[in-house]
Amino acid sequence: MTIVEARTPDPKKFIKGATGDWEIVIGMEVHAQVTSDAKLFSGASTAFGMEPNSNVSLVDAAMPGMLPVINEECVRQAIRTGLGLKAEINLKSVFDRKNYFYPDLPQGYQISQYKQPIVGEGTILLDMPDGQIEVGVERLHLEQDAGKSLHDQHPSMSFVDLNRSGVALMEIVSKPDLRSADEAKAYLTKLRTILRYLGTCDGNMDQGSMRADVNVSVRRPGEGFGTRCEIKNVNSIRFVGQAIDYEARRQVAILEDGGSIDQETRLFDAVKGETRSMRSKEEAHDYRYFPDPDLLPLEFSQAYVDDLAVHLPELPDDKKARFIKDYGLSDYDADILVVEKRSADFFEEVAGGRDAKLAANWVINELFGRLNKEGLELADSPVSAAQLGSIVDLIKGGTISGKIAKDLFEIVWSEDGDPAEIVEARGMKQVTDLGAIEALVDDIITANPDKVEQAKTKPGLLGWFVGQVMKASKGKANPQAVNDLLKAKIGLE
Ligand code: ADP
Ligand code: MG
């Protein structure tokens, strides 16, 4: 593989070693389970959490003479994913046998794609705090998952569960374009977001439907790539970050000690936060790849691809651009909202026909903040988009102040109900009656003649007066009116 480097080294990301700086280089191989009811080459179910060996057809168990039959839905999902990654789609691709022995692989080989994958080069954009970076996708290919060996069920026996055997996976291989644990985590997050928008993989890492092999090497800035280690099957985004940080430091320590890195496959031990050696790295020729004689090359027309392209949903980058353009949101707010399609949809429901920035503020700061605190998902939010929209309307229309709105939000959160009716029933309306506010302002001014004098030269004191009046009104006075009146009366105009 010839590698063209797209990135210039960024000193902020370097590891400071005893003998100078080191740059981390990371490339990821992500296995994403294709959203499909049936397996890649059999009709067996892909349902999660079933009784061991209950979702196994004769094909998945590799009974002699059984023939694989390609599941068209998996092909369709792989093409859609390729389109979502702005990648080139290969109208002809080939399934190969990757030969190895393992108890959970009854065929003695995995059907995968090697030289001619279904999807070629693409890109994923990452929005990092100091700017956008483009990460190259090398390829995406379809392959079967293996079964699972169970070692902890019995003190002296191991078992094999073939429920996953034959489940369709997309292996998505990045170029070695990532330069820090944060970038690697952002890459996985973005890839998962895209897959979920497309509906081609549910992205649930804790159920194993998305797993990452993380390739890590280090080098002196400006030099060629170093020898890499591959950390297999890391199953959470947080662990990916920890594994990279540990592994990069391990390699730096060896190199600074005058040693060299063995190219090997390693495992991440989440309990110890360490990586450890599993086996020396196998080479492609060890697998004796060859085209699977049971399967014809996979071919489809450009018209088929074009039709899938036309029906692709709006993807996160486009949605973000639209949120910024149409709703005037900040880059930061738009980023937060588009990570999950559900949040983006929720926001649009709240913002529809309203002050979008105010809506975004209430969705992100009040609602998401509160959900976070309670450890709840948006799907479980006690406050609906319609209720939040109505709170925004009450603020915007001047019926309640921002402060009262927070109290109202609390009531809706814990007691439910129509926000406008709650405001009416509990007398939470903002006082905009200037006469009433003026009386309060006069009281405060009369009671604090010294402060009034000071405020004339120290306008910062105005805030204190506003606070006093607001307090006296139990938060119900219109803060703008209070502000205006105080300024006029103290003579700060
Ligand atoms: P293989 O198929 O043998 O695992 P590939 O060349 O296809 O090897 O690369 C696998 C992954 O390793 C890719 O994601 C690639 O970006 C990454 N990679 C390749 N070279 C390096 C390197 N020197 N440091 C870190 N990652 C690398
Ligand atoms: Mg590999």
Side-chain angles (χ1 to χ4, degrees):
M1 181 170 84
T2 39
I3 292 163
V4 182
E5 292 203 50
R7 312 270 317 265
T8 38
D10 176 355
K12 283 199 294 299
K13 309 208 162 93
F14 294 165
I15 295 184
K16 306 263 172 254
T19 61
D21 291 341
W22 296 89
E23 188 181 29
I24 314 178
V25 173
I26 305 151
M28 305 254 247
E29 297 161 277
V30 171
H31 290 92
Q33 179 176 333
V34 178
T35 300
S36 155
D37 293 336
K39 296 182 179 179
L40 184 54
F41 298 112
S42 84
S45 162
T46 58
F48 177 78
M50 304 301 281
E51 186 70 13
N53 296 308
S54 57
N55 292 343
V56 186
S57 77
L58 295 172
V59 175
D60 311 321
M63 288 296 135
M66 299 311 299
L67 287 176
V69 177
I70 185 80
N71 174 348
E72 228 182 288
E73 174 61 8
C74 297
V75 174
R76 195 180 78 90
Q77 293 287 54
I79 299 171
R80 293 178 69 247
T81 306
L83 292 167
L85 300 176
K86 314 250 182 297
E88 112 204 43
I89 308 296
N90 297 323
L91 300 182
K92 179 178 175 190
S93 62
V94 173
F95 284 105
D96 296 284
R97 290 186 178 181
K98 181 179 180 180
N99 299 277
Y100 66 92
F101 172 80
Y102 206 74
D104 64 18
L105 187 76
Q107 286 170 150
Y109 58 84
Q110 175 193 32
I111 305 179
S112 180
Q113 296 189 304
Y114 181 51
K115 292 233 164 86
Q116 296 185 66
I118 183 168
V119 174
E121 291 190 9
T123 48
I124 294 183
L125 295 176
L126 307 183
D127 290 299
M128 301 306 293
D130 43 6
Q132 197 172 60
I133 59 174
E134 192 178 302
V135 178
V137 169
E138 180 73 32
R139 57 188 274 145
L140 174 158
H141 66 252
L142 276 168
E143 64 182 29
Q144 305 172 295
D145 204 350
K148 199 173 165 188
S149 298
L150 308 167
H151 302 296
D152 48 10
Q153 316 273 310
H154 188 280
S156 59
M157 283 195 264
S158 286
F159 299 91
V160 171
D161 174 8
L162 293 179
N163 280 353
R164 293 196 69 95
S165 169
V167 163
L169 303 178
M170 297 179 280
E171 176 168 338
I172 302 159
V173 183
S174 87
K175 300 197 175 182
D177 286 349
L178 299 157
R179 295 290 177 267
S180 69
D182 280 347
E183 289 184 5
K185 290 196 291 187
Y187 172 82
L188 271 183
T189 306
K190 184 66 177 281
L191 176 57
R192 185 175 62 180
T193 298
I194 293 171
L195 296 171
R196 284 179 170 167
Y197 269 62
L198 290 164
T200 58
C201 168
D202 65 27
N204 294 336
M205 295 187 80
D206 51 351
Q207 296 184 356
S209 34
M210 192 170 139
R211 279 125 54 191
D213 296 347
V214 191
N215 295 268
V216 181
S217 65
V218 298
R219 63 172 173 188
R220 294 291 190 190
E223 288 187 356
F225 286 130
T227 303
R228 72 179 196 265
C229 287
E230 178 173 355
I231 311 159
K232 277 277 180 206
N233 267 333
V234 189
N235 64 1
S236 91
I237 292 182
R238 194 161 55 90
F239 290 164
V240 165
Q242 290 174 3
I244 291 169
D245 282 333
Y246 176 88
E247 178 60 18
R249 282 174 198 285
R250 186 188 73 88
Q251 294 182 13
V252 165
I254 292 173
L255 294 170
E256 293 207 318
D257 215 31
S260 61
I261 305 301
D262 295 329
Q263 183 165 334
E264 59 183 3
T265 302
R266 299 180 67 85
L267 275 183
F268 178 65
D269 180 332
V271 178
K272 294 195 178 130
E274 296 172 0
T275 65
R276 66 180 135 82
S277 183
M278 187 171 145
R279 56 173 188 252
S280 67
K281 166 81 182 161
E282 61 293 323
E283 300 291 337
H285 61 248
D286 296 332
Y287 290 118
R288 208 171 55 92
Y289 280 99
F290 63 87
D292 191 315
D294 287 343
L295 289 158
L296 288 169
L298 184 58
E299 287 183 79
F300 39 80
S301 67
Q302 186 60 46
Y304 177 62
V305 176
D306 292 345
D307 183 61
L308 293 178
V310 171
H311 293 100
L312 234 46
E314 181 182 40
L315 290 171
D317 290 337
D318 294 330
K319 202 182 278 291
K320 178 181 168 184
R322 181 167 63 80
F323 278 14
I324 291 173
K325 183 167 165 283
D326 291 1
Y327 294 115
L329 297 191
S330 68
D331 201 80
Y332 182 82
D333 285 355
D335 258 341
I336 293 175
L337 292 170
V338 305
V339 170
E340 303 272 358
K341 185 168 176 297
R342 185 191 288 275
S343 331
D345 291 346
F346 188 96
F347 161 72
E348 289 208 272
E349 217 182 311
V350 178
R354 301 190 171 100
D355 179 331
K357 280 188 181 164
L358 188 61
N361 183 31
W362 274 82
V363 170
I364 295 171
N365 298 322
E366 302 306 323
L367 183 63
F368 290 0
R370 187 63 199 270
L371 289 168
N372 243 337
K373 208 169 111 194
E374 307 284 336
L376 290 175
E377 297 288 329
L378 180 57
D380 309 317
S381 171
V383 179
S384 70
Q387 286 169 318
L388 202 57
S390 147
I391 294 177
V392 169
D393 283 341
L394 291 164
I395 303 168
K396 194 66 188 171
T399 311
I400 55 173
S401 66
K403 186 169 173 308
I404 292 290
K406 293 191 185 192
D407 299 340
L408 176 60
F409 177 82
E410 280 307 313
I411 297 170
V412 177
W413 176 281
S414 47
E415 299 172 28
D416 206 13
D418 175 48
E421 282 171 14
I422 295 171
V423 166
E424 196 65 51
R426 307 199 186 188
M428 296 168 84
K429 275 194 182 164
Q430 174 162 258
V431 179
T432 37
D433 166 8
L434 284 185
I437 296 174
E438 193 169 359
L440 294 173
V441 167
D442 287 342
D443 286 352
I444 301 290
I445 287 185
T446 320
N448 298 282
D450 307 352
K451 284 222 164 63
V452 172
E453 275 318 302
Q454 288 171 24
K456 288 183 177 153
T457 50
K458 265 208 280 175
L461 262 181
L462 187 69
W464 180 84
F465 279 97
V466 175
Q468 294 302 305
V469 178
M470 291 307 292
K471 208 158 126 194
S473 76
K474 300 201 171 57
K476 284 192 269 177
N478 179 327
Q480 193 55 51
V482 174
N483 212 53
D484 293 347
L485 274 169
L486 276 166
K487 270 191 179 166
K489 299 223 170 203
I490 298 175
L492 286 175
E493 257 3 295

